Every structure is written in C-alpha cells, then in structure tokens.
C-alpha cells in the first residue's frame, strides 16, 4: 500500500530555512507527480506546491512562490520541499500527497513552527 513518511520539520526563527523530506513506498514513485499541502492551527488544508513525475514542471501557491522549492529524487523515492525566508504564517503541519494537485494528505505530517 502507499506509504508516505514526512520528516525534517522543527522550530526555526523567522527568516530561517528548513528542508522537508517525504519518503515514498508502495507505488512507482517515478511515475507520479507529487504535492505538498499544509494545515495551520485552526485552519483547513492548504495546497502548497506540486511537481510532475519527472520533476520538470512545478507549481506553487502564491503565498510561498519565490521562497519554497519542490523537488523529487526518483532514484531515492523521495520528495523534498526547500523552505527559505520562513515567516510565522508558514507555521503548520506539512504533508506530502501522491499526485499533481492532490490536496489529500496520506502521511502523518511533519510540524514546522516559525517563531522567535
């Protein structure tokens, strides 16, 4: 079955950086686009970014454009999200999801807290 395990979250000061990882198994990772979604405290799920199966095309929410970079390593079955210039409003649980534009998380998520 599909397994997605997110990691790399933590506490970071505003302006800092983090790199999230999502280890995938149970499906042919190289054949699927992937997405990141997040859920801030007390709010609904928000789509963050998507990438095509081969990694050539990406898309970002306006709120993270220019600060976040999505990538995938098909040899390692791993999805990444490099997050720079973090803001307090980026505080959320971050999830990866199988498929381009998929807003339904399937893993346990990783907590990102941006605070001084």
């Amino acid at each position: 079955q599909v397994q997605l395990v997110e990691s790399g979250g933590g506490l970071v000061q505003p302006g800092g950086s983090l790199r999230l990882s999502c280890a995938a198994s149970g499906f042919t990772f190289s054949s699927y686009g992937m997405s990141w979604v997040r859920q801030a405290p007390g709010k609904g799920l928000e789509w963050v970014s998507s990438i095509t199966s081969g990694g050539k095309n990406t898309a970002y929410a306006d709120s993270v454009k220019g600060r976040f970079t999505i990538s995938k390593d098909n040899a390692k079955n791993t999805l990444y999200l490099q997050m720079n210039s973090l803001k307090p409003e980026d505080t959320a649980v971050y999830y990866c999801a199988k498929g381009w534009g998929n807003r339904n998380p399937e893993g346990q998520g990783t907590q990102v807290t941006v605070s001084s």
Side-chain angles (χ1 to χ4, degrees):
Q1 70 276 20
V2 172
Q3 267 203 315
L4 299 170
V5 180
E6 301 91 343
S7 62
L11 173 64
V12 63
Q13 292 187 340
S17 297
L18 282 174
R19 188 176 82 154
L20 306 184
S21 299
C22 168
S25 61
F27 64 102
T28 306
F29 183 73
S30 59
S31 296
Y32 286 87
M34 296 290 293
S35 300
W36 286 99
V37 296
R38 67 186 180 184
Q39 187 165 27
K43 297 190 177 180
L45 288 167
E46 176 189 15
W47 170 79
V48 173
S49 181
S50 291
I51 188 168
T52 51
S53 57
K56 286 188 177 180
N57 295 306
T58 58
Y60 299 91
D62 287 344
S63 57
V64 306
K65 200 172 293 182
R67 301 188 297 120
F68 290 11
T69 302
I70 190 172
S71 62
K72 66 193 305 262
D73 186 334
N74 286 336
K76 295 183 178 179
N77 285 0
T78 302
L79 176 72
Y80 301 100
L81 186 68
Q82 177 67 44
M83 306 187 297
N84 299 328
S85 303
L86 283 161
K87 304 175 181 180
E89 52 263 43
D90 294 318
T91 295
V93 178
Y94 284 72
Y95 303 89
C96 58
K98 173 172 166 270
W100 174 277
N102 187 356
R103 298 163 188 245
N104 297 312
E106 298 176 66
Q108 85 289 348
T110 186
Q111 174 71 48
V112 172
T113 302
V114 185
S115 175
S116 54

